Amino acid sequence: MIMIDLRSDTLTKPTPEMLQAMMSAEVGDEVFEEDPTVRKLEKNLAEMFGMEAGLFCPSGTMTNQIAIRMLTQPQDEVICDKKSHIYNYEGGGIAYNSLISTRLLDGDGGRITAKMVEENINPDDVHFPQTSLVALENTMNKGGGCYYELSEIEKIARVCQENQLKLHLDGARFFNAIVETGESPADYGKHFDSISICLSKGLGAPIGSVLLTKNENLKKAKRIRKVFGGGMRQVGYLAAAGLYALENNIERLKEDHQKAKELEATLKQLSFVKDVLPVETNIVIFEVENSATMVATLQQKGIKSVSFGPQHVRFVTHLDFTDEMLEEAVQILKGIS
């Protein structure tokens, strides 16, 4: 039996064309800042967002954690939603790496508002940690792939400016958001002090994320990356995959979204499904009586998925999930009683 793997969009493998781009890349020692392909990737992404600098890293967790440490001081506090990846899935890095506390908000599917931010800024009082950073996630993983309205981000940015707060974007699936909204990366870049862009999810690269920021932050970001063990050598082979992904795999994200919506439509018809979160991009989260039992049942029948809590299961559509696999997955789901 051929398994249909819907656990994550991180499971994609390079296409022959991407592999060719990787193998033909010009490389150098990145720690000595001599890898031209890395420089090109960083420069291209920074220009795309209208930002000044980029820093290539192994993972989105690293770019997020570098940003938090770069923009805060020990005893500060970051405001984010309680469903945020930086809080739930980065190993306690906020506390361990940056020695700061977290103000968790309960937003709409993980999306917070400017009003919520304003109401949760601590007073200038020695009894409280100093609020210094706001972190958003777009799209929101635990929110089922929902995305922010740019107008709300603009309002949040205004609150941050008025209160001398820094603003970070965990853009792990950023391009999934903007292929739906039709906005440009530059529409977002002007509002943030730092943005993390992941290349190894829907864009299909095997590894890598880029931290975008201002020139004044770059030296500090590099120092933190070094301490985190993120100094790399002839890594242009991997940066070339990122360049290929940015040039070829953004618009095709719409295909993943359409497949996710077809899975949503099927799930809504099934008696064992209690609810399905609204599907906006490539993530499908549905509620069942027992998620562990459902994941095991799906595995037995040929679909890999993940438990997203006691009663929720997650599917993520991606580059390697074909039309034929979609048809097979629909039939498997309909066959579960």
Side-chain angles (χ1 to χ4, degrees):
M1 177 174 25
I2 297 175
M3 296 297 295
I4 299 170
D5 203 335
L6 294 175
R7 289 174 296 168
S8 177
D9 47 4
T10 60
L11 297 161
T12 58
K13 296 176 182 176
T15 60
E17 295 80 10
M18 181 179 283
L19 283 171
Q20 180 58 43
M22 294 168 69
M23 291 303 98
S24 60
E26 184 182 358
V27 300
D29 191 312
E30 166 57 9
V31 173
F32 284 99
E33 301 185 356
E34 294 176 356
D35 193 303
T37 306
V38 171
R39 293 286 85 73
K40 183 178 179 181
L41 173 63
E42 294 169 339
K43 181 174 182 289
N44 286 8
L45 256 178
E47 290 179 350
M48 185 184 295
F49 281 79
M51 299 185 77
E52 294 177 348
L55 185 65
F56 186 52
C57 296
S59 71
T61 292
M62 183 176 284
T63 46
N64 282 333
Q65 291 299 315
I66 289 173
I68 294 167
R69 185 162 171 180
M70 176 180 77
L71 298 173
T72 64
Q73 296 293 326
Q75 297 178 269
D76 282 358
E77 186 166 82
V78 56
I79 293 174
C80 64
D81 188 86
K82 67 179 184 180
K83 293 182 176 179
S84 296
H85 191 281
I86 61 169
Y87 177 73
N88 287 283
Y89 299 119
E90 299 189 6
I94 293 174
Y96 187 81
N97 295 318
S98 298
L99 301 176
I100 67 172
S101 60
T102 310
R103 177 66 64 91
L104 299 177
L105 308 186
D106 189 8
D108 172 23
R111 296 165 296 189
I112 60 178
T113 66
K115 185 173 186 293
M116 293 170 70
V117 171
E118 193 165 27
E119 290 174 347
N120 283 277
I121 299 171
N122 287 330
D124 186 11
D125 184 314
V126 294
H127 295 90
F128 301 102
Q130 180 172 307
T131 307
S132 62
L133 176 64
V134 176
L136 311 180
E137 184 177 332
N138 201 25
T139 65
M140 172 54 71
N141 180 17
K142 283 183 73 69
C146 61
Y147 50 83
Y148 276 89
E149 296 291 336
L150 180 59
S151 58
E152 192 61 45
I153 287 178
E154 290 171 342
K155 293 175 186 176
I156 293 171
R158 193 153 49 245
V159 169
C160 290
Q161 291 164 6
E162 291 169 355
N163 292 276
Q164 291 78 54
L165 308 181
K166 302 296 185 181
L167 184 58
H168 172 67
L169 177 64
D170 175 0
R173 294 182 176 89
F174 172 82
F175 288 103
N176 291 88
I178 66 167
V179 297
E180 289 295 322
T181 65
E183 293 149 355
S184 75
D187 292 331
Y188 290 79
K190 60 187 176 184
H191 297 299
F192 290 91
D193 295 281
S194 58
I195 297 177
S196 166
I197 294 296
C198 186
L199 303 165
S200 64
K201 292 187 172 69
L203 295 181
I207 189 173
S209 291
V210 176
L211 177 63
L212 303 173
T213 189
K214 300 173 182 177
N215 282 329
E216 64 192 60
N217 297 327
L218 187 59
K219 185 175 182 180
K220 186 174 182 181
K222 287 181 178 179
R223 180 176 289 275
I224 297 166
R225 184 184 67 172
K226 176 66 175 176
V227 172
F228 285 174
M232 300 174 285
R233 301 299 178 174
Q234 288 73 27
V235 74
Y237 295 115
L238 299 177
L243 284 166
Y244 181 90
L246 291 170
E247 292 166 4
N248 296 277
N249 290 346
I250 293 177
E251 284 302 312
R252 64 144 304 278
L253 291 170
K254 293 178 182 178
E255 299 172 22
D256 299 340
H257 300 177
Q258 183 56 44
K259 290 185 176 77
K261 287 178 171 63
E262 292 188 39
L263 289 172
E264 175 193 28
T266 298
L267 289 164
K268 284 183 173 180
Q269 301 171 16
L270 304 178
S271 60
F272 64 86
V273 176
K274 296 182 177 183
D275 191 25
V276 186
L277 291 187
V279 172
E280 297 185 15
T281 51
N282 69 324
I283 297 176
V284 184
I285 297 177
F286 58 100
E287 183 181 354
V288 294
E289 186 172 335
N290 185 297
S291 64
T293 300
M294 179 53 59
V295 168
T297 299
L298 289 166
Q299 171 95 9
Q300 186 179 30
K301 293 182 178 296
I303 299 176
K304 291 185 178 182
S305 60
V306 295
S307 173
F308 233 44
Q311 294 182 292
H312 289 89
V313 177
R314 187 187 76 168
F315 292 157
V316 186
T317 57
H318 51 76
L319 178 66
D320 291 347
F321 179 52
T322 64
D323 290 336
E324 293 75 20
M325 290 178 179
L326 173 62
E327 291 179 15
E328 179 68 16
V330 167
Q331 292 307 312
I332 290 172
L333 289 168
K334 288 181 177 180
I336 297 174
S337 57

